[in-house]
Amino acid sequence: MKSTVDVETFSFHSVASSDVFERAIFRYGLAVFSVVIALGIKLLLLHFNFAYPLSTSFLLAIAITFWYAGTAPGILSVLLSFVAFALFVLPYQVDYRIVLPDGSTKPVYVSGVGASHIEYFFYFALVALLMSWFSSSRRRAEQSLSQARSDLETKVKERTAKLSTLNEELHGEITERRHAEDALRESEEKYRGLIETSPDAIYVSDVVDGKCVMSNPAGAELAGCPEDQLIGTSIMDTYVPEERYLFQDRIQKLKTEGSLRFERKFVRRNGEVVPVEVSVSALRGRYLQAVVRDISQRKRREALLAGENKVLEMVAKGESLANILDSLCLLVEEQSSGVLASILLMDPNGKQLRHGGAPNCPKTYTQAIDGTFIGPAVGSCGTAAYLAEQVIVSDITTDPLWTDFRDLALTHSLRACWSTPIFSSEGKVIGTFAMYYREPRSPTSREQETIKHITHLAGVAIQRKLAEAARRESEAYLAEAQRLSHTGSWAWAPATGEIRYWSEETYRVLGFDPDTGPPRFETFLERLCSEDQERVRALFKKAIREKAEFETDYRIVHLSGAIKDIHAVGHPVCDETGQLVEFVGTVIDVTENKRSEEALRASEQVARGQVEALTYSLDVLATAPAPDKFIGQMLSTIGRLLNAQSVTLWLFDQSTDSLVLRSMADDGKLAAPDPEHPFTNDPLFWKQNPAIQELLFTAGPVVCENIDTDPRVNGEWREYLKRKGAKRFLAVPILVSGHVRGFVGIRHSDSVAYRPEEITLTQALAHQVMLAIQLNQFAEQGQRAAVFEERNRMARDIHDTLAQGFTGVIVQLEAADDAISCGYRKEAYDHLHRAGELARRSLSEARRSVHALRPQALEEHNFWDALKGIIKNTTIGTALHTKFETQGKLPELPRPWQENLLHIGQEALTNTLKYAHARNFETRLSYKAKELCLELRDDGDGFKVKDRHDGAGLTGMRERVEQMGGALKVTSAPRKGTRITVLVPCNKESMV
């Protein structure tokens, strides 16, 4: 980079030096050349003897050199002139001429330089210097003049250029001004056109006197007079009196600020006052321009908006619907002069209109139309509600819709009524909005807009209030339903662990204080029973992880210490991205249900135990054991079924009037009599015992729930019971012919209350003990044959009544068990109820059999109807379908035959229910050719007849058929069902 710069610098200096050298050669060469020329001219003239001054040519050469070459070359030319003059001129200078004799002349040259020549040289030098000075001065003067001329020309050019520029600018300004004037004229024309076509009123007025000097058509229309009449009027005339003082203040403010904008009331020529917005600006001179805009529409909309906000605020704050509707009516009346607004509400029956709001309507009128039925010609409101469309009545005096209400309206000076139905979001009429006037008139477009706006607001308010009422009613129903069903609802956010919502019933069910709000989730979990906490935590974690529903049961401890069984159900709620937001669900207090289920299961267990005990008793009785052994086994059965500590049988000995311990079972086993028992030590102790006295007096069970607190247990007896570890006892009387013959005493070592089912079971088993006692009495009287016959009869009756009846009980209990497992609680209760009815009926039949009474079913119906009723009652609610068929007219049968046939049908049904697993059971009765045929058939498992041994059931059937002189036929095969056919001859001999 440095070398490049050096080369360029060298090149520049070389070029400059070359130019200087050339100029020097030219200048000094001119000096030499001019002297040479002057010498040549001098010598030539000397040659021709032409006389002229010696130094003239040289002086001319010096002058030229000084003029054109400058001072240094000029001095060189002077020196060269001296040299040339001295060497070439003076030697040949003719000093004088000699005239020769022949008349010719001979020049005589100067031979040397003398004093005269020195003077000449001095003179020449002086002249040369003067000439050189003059030439230099003239040269400098000419150069100065040339420079001055050049400067002047430059200045002239610059000034000329400036003048030219100014001329062009001036020409441009003139052009622009001409264009501006044209644009101004065009703008003025447009402005005038805009003023003329402007929807806003424009006035130009004098600032001094405030009079209008110009107006556009809109201004004349706003003022309410023609333009020519408006010119010259004072602006003050458009001010309301209470605002005129503001005019001068605004003028002063306009002078300082240049423009103003404000709102004021504008008085029209007819006196009407309208709100306007004014924009004032100062014009040239003493004028001002005012643009006035009618803002009545805006003010009306602002008022409507403010009224709407007020109404919506009232709705949000829960104001009464009457106040809200009154506010709407007042809002309308503020917008339109001379109007009376009214809102009627549709009655829930959809046929009548009720008063909603009408603050300024006559009270007597609003009371008179309250409750009016809607219809096609029921004034404006009733018709609008009926037709679901707007009804405009411009003149009540002539409109046929007001025929029935004309006098009422005219009495209150009402001449016009416009009614518009108010609709709900579903398009249902929920009310009407009416505008009354005291003169005939029709609505304007502005009033129609107001009507549309108000009906919308009224619809929002009315529907909101109706929705709130429905919501409150629904919430009340829900709260009551939750309270009655012990069901609460909840919402829980797993991400934060926050319990977002608990219903009131949830607080009650879970045992928390509603005033403190929902607890922390951990606090809730800590209130669960300890054995349920980990399981519930794991369940919740799994539900969160899988975003799945859950259902579980747990126990929670209330602050009072009570433990409640809770059934909880949860459902996940996710957002649109699938992220889990919360769980919602219900909690149900199932404590009572749990207890009911436990009681139900206990009842079922007791009933099953009762049937089991009865069946066992029948089996024992069928083996004909000794009565004492039978009684002992019954006591053991009672102790085992009731989980009793001890069961004793006490009988009254009428001969000694004492109480005798007949049998005793401890822990379900027969035991020897306890000699320490107070009743054993003193057989007459019972007469002083309140519990025994109560049993004798009521002939009913005596229940003692707590030995320590029961006043009937005292003294030695209490000490004995406590010593044996007893906490409670039950005494059930043994009745024979309605008299108390003794009682069964049952002791328990726990403190659980006796259930009614346990007492009933004990009574039933005590009755069997009574049967055993009676059998024992028969044996002791030596009437063995009669006893045997009676015993067989009783065995058959017990089998046919109790065993068969309780088979139906078992069927119903099994059906109840299935219903419980499926959650059909009502069906389970129905089955249990039927099981109880069958058990009571069987027990009643057992009592009747003891007394050899006829079955109760035959007391109310004939054999066929009784059999159908028993079969239907036994199989109702089960999977066994029954079918009945008769042929021929059934003859009058003897009572024993009816009993036998009824028991045969019961036994066949019992076998089908117990063993066959059948789906259908058919009963067919036919009578023809004096022969009665009863056929009982099922489609169950069946059996091989030859391999089947007759049990007590078939044996009883055969004995009963043989008593009637008939024949019994049993047909069966595996998987082909069983058919039992009874053929009985119906002649007079056999029926006697």
Side-chain angles (χ1 to χ4, degrees):
M1 183 69 182
K2 182 176 179 181
S3 60
T4 303
V5 174
D6 293 339
V7 170
E8 291 177 354
T9 304
F10 175 75
S11 299
F12 172 76
H13 288 297
S14 299
V15 173
S17 300
S18 176
D19 291 339
V20 172
F21 182 70
E22 290 177 356
R23 288 174 58 86
I25 292 175
F26 170 76
R27 291 167 60 200
Y28 288 100
L30 179 62
V32 174
F33 182 73
S34 62
V35 172
V36 171
I37 293 299
L39 178 59
I41 293 173
K42 185 62 177 177
L43 293 177
L44 182 61
L45 292 177
L46 288 176
H47 178 69
F48 290 102
N49 296 317
F50 185 78
Y52 77 100
L54 291 176
S55 59
T56 301
S57 59
F58 290 100
L59 290 176
L60 181 61
I62 292 169
I64 291 172
T65 302
F66 270 101
W67 184 267
Y68 289 103
T71 302
I75 295 174
L76 178 62
S77 65
V78 172
L79 295 177
L80 292 176
S81 296
F82 277 126
V83 172
F85 193 74
L87 295 179
F88 298 102
V89 176
L90 287 180
Y92 300 100
Q93 180 67 38
V94 178
D95 189 22
Y96 54 89
R97 292 182 184 273
I98 302 174
V99 180
L100 296 176
D102 56 2
S104 62
T105 61
K106 182 179 178 181
V108 179
Y109 297 95
V110 178
S111 57
V113 179
S116 61
H117 291 111
I118 295 173
E119 294 177 356
Y120 186 80
F121 276 111
F122 179 78
Y123 165 75
F124 179 78
L126 180 61
V127 172
L129 291 175
L130 289 174
M131 288 183 66
S132 64
W133 174 82
F134 176 76
S135 297
S136 298
S137 298
R138 181 69 180 272
R139 177 64 178 173
R140 285 193 298 273
E142 287 181 356
Q143 289 179 348
S144 298
L145 182 61
S146 176
Q147 183 67 33
R149 187 187 305 112
S150 177
D151 293 342
L152 180 60
E153 289 177 356
T154 301
K155 291 181 179 179
V156 169
K157 288 181 181 180
E158 291 177 355
R159 186 60 179 267
T160 302
K162 289 182 179 179
L163 290 175
S164 177
T165 302
L166 292 174
N167 186 35
E168 291 177 358
E169 291 177 355
L170 181 60
H171 180 73
E173 288 179 358
I174 294 171
T175 303
E176 289 179 0
R177 184 168 184 177
R178 185 180 297 112
H179 290 326
E181 291 176 353
D182 294 340
L184 180 61
R185 283 193 297 271
E186 183 179 358
S187 176
E188 289 177 350
E189 292 176 359
K190 290 182 179 180
Y191 176 69
R192 185 63 189 177
L194 288 174
I195 290 178
E196 294 295 328
T197 59
S198 173
D200 296 330
I202 301 176
Y203 304 101
V204 177
S205 61
D206 195 323
V207 175
V208 177
D209 56 12
K211 291 185 178 181
C212 179
V213 298
M214 190 191 74
S215 172
N216 65 343
E221 182 181 357
L222 178 62
C225 64
E227 288 186 56
D228 55 350
Q229 296 182 13
L230 184 60
I231 304 301
T233 61
S234 176
I235 297 298
M236 293 285 289
D237 295 340
T238 64
Y239 272 77
V240 294
E242 59 269 19
E243 292 184 357
R244 287 178 180 173
Y245 73 93
L246 297 173
F247 179 74
Q248 292 300 329
D249 294 342
R250 287 168 178 164
I251 293 297
Q252 296 301 323
K253 192 174 182 180
L254 179 64
K255 291 179 180 180
T256 58
E257 297 183 4
S259 63
L260 288 177
R261 174 170 291 185
F262 55 88
E263 294 182 3
R264 71 178 182 91
K265 296 177 182 178
F266 189 95
V267 181
R268 305 185 68 192
R269 184 64 61 90
N270 60 1
E272 181 184 359
V273 178
V274 295
V276 295
E277 181 184 64
V278 183
S279 296
V280 183
S281 57
L283 301 179
R284 291 186 301 272
R286 61 179 189 177
Y287 298 102
L288 60 85
Q289 173 184 279
V291 179
V292 183
R293 177 173 298 173
D294 184 355
I295 59 173
S296 55
Q297 289 286 351
R298 192 188 78 188
K299 289 293 185 180
R300 186 179 65 84
R301 286 193 294 269
E302 289 177 354
L304 285 176
L305 180 60
E308 177 181 354
N309 293 336
K310 179 182 177 182
V311 169
L312 294 178
E313 183 179 358
M314 293 175 69
V315 172
K317 289 182 177 180
E319 290 278 349
S320 65
L321 183 59
N323 291 341
I324 295 173
L325 298 183
D326 282 346
S327 296
L328 282 174
C329 293
L330 292 174
L331 177 62
V332 175
E333 293 170 358
E334 290 174 359
Q335 296 297 313
S336 303
S337 60
V339 66
L340 298 175
S342 170
I343 296 177
L344 298 178
L345 302 176
M346 181 66 75
D347 191 88
N349 61 21
K351 299 178 180 179
Q352 291 176 276
L353 293 174
R354 299 292 182 183
H355 172 69
N360 293 319
C361 285
K363 300 300 180 184
T364 54
Y365 178 77
T366 58
Q367 292 173 359
I369 65 174
D370 187 20
T372 301
F373 284 87
I374 65 175
V378 187
S380 298
C381 295
T383 306
Y386 181 80
L387 299 177
E389 61 184 29
Q390 187 181 53
V391 174
I392 303 297
V393 175
S394 301
D395 191 352
I396 292 176
T397 59
T398 60
D399 198 290
L401 296 179
W402 281 82
T403 301
D404 297 336
F405 301 90
R406 183 174 292 113
D407 294 339
L408 176 64
L410 296 179
T411 301
H412 294 87
S413 302
L414 302 178
R415 297 293 304 277
C417 180
W418 319 327
S419 182
T420 305
I422 302 171
F423 295 99
S424 67
S425 58
E426 294 83 12
K428 181 182 178 182
V429 177
I430 57 177
T432 60
F433 167 67
M435 298 175 67
Y436 291 92
Y437 287 89
R438 298 189 184 278
E439 70 278 348
R441 59 169 296 183
S442 299
T444 63
S445 59
R446 190 182 74 176
E447 288 167 334
Q448 284 285 24
E449 184 180 351
T450 301
I451 291 172
K452 181 179 179 181
H453 191 77
I454 295 301
T455 52
H456 171 71
L457 278 179
V460 171
I462 295 171
Q463 191 168 6
R464 173 70 178 272
K465 286 298 180 180
L466 292 176
E468 287 180 356
R471 178 180 57 80
R472 286 194 298 269
E473 184 179 10
S474 176
E475 289 177 350
Y477 287 153
L478 177 61
E480 184 64 15
Q482 289 188 350
R483 186 184 66 83
L484 293 176
S485 62
H486 303 293
T487 301
S489 52
W490 53 268
W492 168 55
T496 61
E498 175 192 5
I499 297 177
R500 293 181 174 178
Y501 168 73
W502 269 11
S503 67
E504 292 185 4
E505 189 61 23
T506 303
Y507 285 101
R508 286 193 290 268
V509 167
L510 299 182
F512 286 86
D513 184 4
D515 295 334
T516 61
R520 293 175 54 254
F521 189 67
E522 284 299 322
T523 304
F524 157 72
L525 287 176
E526 290 171 359
R527 289 278 293 275
L528 302 185
C529 288
S530 57
E531 52 268 28
D532 292 339
Q533 290 183 10
E534 291 303 321
R535 177 179 58 82
V536 174
R537 286 179 189 273
L539 176 68
F540 284 167
K541 290 180 179 178
K542 180 180 178 182
I544 294 171
R545 184 174 60 256
E546 298 179 358
K547 301 177 184 177
E549 295 181 349
F550 65 84
E551 184 172 359
T552 186
D553 292 322
Y554 55 80
R555 292 167 299 164
I556 192 167
V557 182
H558 286 199
L559 293 176
S560 62
I563 298 177
K564 297 293 184 178
D565 290 281
I566 306 299
H567 180 74
V569 177
H571 175 75
V573 178
C574 299
D575 58 18
E576 60 274 7
T577 63
Q579 296 297 319
L580 180 63
V581 177
E582 63 180 2
F583 277 93
V584 296
T586 59
V587 288
I588 306 175
D589 184 354
V590 295
T591 305
E592 294 299 326
N593 293 344
K594 289 281 187 180
R595 292 175 180 173
S596 299
E597 289 179 2
E598 291 174 359
L600 189 63
R601 292 191 181 95
S603 300
E604 179 186 356
Q605 181 180 2
V606 170
R608 287 181 179 275
Q610 185 175 353
V611 173
E612 179 185 346
L614 291 174
T615 305
Y616 178 73
S617 300
L618 292 174
D619 292 339
V620 172
L621 189 60
T623 60
D628 288 341
K629 183 178 179 182
F630 174 73
I631 293 173
Q633 291 175 342
M634 289 303 303
L635 296 181
S636 298
T637 302
I638 293 173
R640 179 170 52 83
L641 294 177
L642 299 182
N643 294 320
Q645 181 192 46
S646 174
V647 182
T648 56
L649 173 61
W650 298 88
L651 296 178
F652 288 104
D653 187 349
Q654 296 179 356
S655 60
T656 60
D657 196 21
S658 61
L659 192 60
V660 179
L661 178 60
R662 177 65 181 272
S663 183
M664 180 176 179
D666 284 340
D667 296 327
K669 298 179 181 179
L670 291 176
D674 186 1
E676 297 180 0
H677 198 288
F679 294 167
T680 303
N681 294 332
D682 185 1
L684 301 180
F685 182 77
W686 62 272
K687 293 184 178 182
Q688 303 172 6
N689 189 289
I692 304 301
Q693 296 301 317
E694 180 182 339
L695 183 142
L696 291 173
F697 179 78
T698 61
V702 173
V703 179
C704 174
E705 302 286 358
N706 191 332
I707 292 175
D708 293 330
T709 59
D710 196 317
R712 296 171 299 179
V713 182
N714 52 29
E716 184 182 352
W717 189 29
R718 173 178 291 173
E719 294 300 326
Y720 169 78
L721 294 175
K722 292 175 65 176
R723 191 165 58 250
K724 294 297 183 179
K727 298 292 183 64
R728 58 190 175 109
F729 73 84
L730 169 66
V732 178
I734 295 177
L735 303 176
V736 177
S737 300
H739 299 285
V740 178
R741 292 292 308 277
F743 66 88
V744 175
I746 306 170
R747 298 199 309 260
H748 285 84
S749 59
D750 54 9
S751 299
V752 181
Y754 287 104
R755 296 192 301 272
E757 296 83 2
E758 294 177 320
I759 299 174
T760 302
L761 176 61
T762 306
Q763 287 180 295
L765 298 179
H767 183 70
Q768 296 188 46
V769 174
M770 179 197 66
L771 293 177
I773 294 173
Q774 283 188 314
L775 289 176
N776 191 35
Q777 289 178 348
F778 292 148
E780 291 177 352
Q781 293 174 0
Q783 301 174 350
R784 296 188 180 277
V787 169
F788 181 77
E789 179 63 27
E790 183 66 13
R791 180 176 173 181
N792 288 340
R793 181 192 68 78
M794 292 178 67
R796 288 194 303 268
D797 288 348
I798 290 175
H799 185 275
D800 293 339
T801 57
L802 296 181
Q804 296 170 4
F806 282 106
T807 298
V809 172
I810 292 175
V811 171
Q812 293 298 328
L813 291 176
E814 290 175 347
D817 193 20
D818 293 340
I820 290 173
S821 63
C822 296
Y824 302 142
R825 201 173 308 282
K826 183 178 180 303
E827 289 78 357
Y829 279 116
D830 292 341
H831 286 300
L832 286 173
H833 177 72
R834 285 191 287 270
E837 290 294 328
L838 289 173
R840 282 190 290 273
R841 189 180 297 115
S842 298
L843 186 58
S844 177
E845 289 298 327
R847 291 193 181 99
R848 297 175 68 86
S849 67
V850 171
H851 300 287
L853 298 177
R854 195 177 184 210
Q856 186 176 2
L858 293 176
E859 294 289 342
E860 301 173 357
H861 306 284
N862 61 26
F863 145 70
W864 179 242
D865 292 335
L867 180 59
K868 289 195 295 183
I870 290 173
I871 294 175
K872 290 179 179 178
N873 289 335
T874 304
T875 60
I876 186 170
T878 66
L880 185 64
H881 300 283
T882 59
K883 181 179 179 182
F884 304 90
E885 183 180 345
T886 59
Q887 292 182 357
K889 184 178 180 181
L890 184 67
E892 185 69 24
L893 298 177
R895 288 190 175 183
W897 283 31
Q898 294 185 39
E899 294 177 12
N900 288 335
L901 292 173
L902 180 65
H903 289 313
I904 291 172
Q906 286 181 291
E907 178 61 22
L909 176 63
T910 299
N911 290 335
T912 298
L913 291 172
K914 290 174 65 176
Y915 309 112
H917 306 99
R919 294 188 300 273
N920 297 286
F921 184 84
E922 296 181 10
T923 306
R924 182 178 302 163
L925 179 66
S926 62
Y927 176 74
K928 58 182 179 180
K930 297 183 178 182
E931 185 178 58
L932 181 70
C933 178
L934 175 63
E935 184 176 338
L936 305 158
R937 179 172 22 182
D938 65 57
D939 58 355
D941 295 341
F943 59 93
K944 293 181 179 181
V945 178
K946 64 179 181 178
D947 298 335
R948 188 81 174 199
H949 299 286
D950 290 353
L954 287 178
T955 300
M957 286 185 186
R958 295 187 187 279
E959 291 177 354
R960 293 182 185 279
V961 173
E962 289 174 359
Q963 288 179 3
M964 297 183 291
L968 175 68
K969 183 178 180 182
V970 179
T971 304
S972 182
R975 293 184 299 279
K976 293 186 178 179
T978 302
R979 181 173 62 186
I980 297 174
T981 305
V982 178
L983 296 174
V984 180
C986 293
N987 49 47
K988 291 183 179 181
E989 293 77 12
S990 62
M991 296 175 66
V992 174

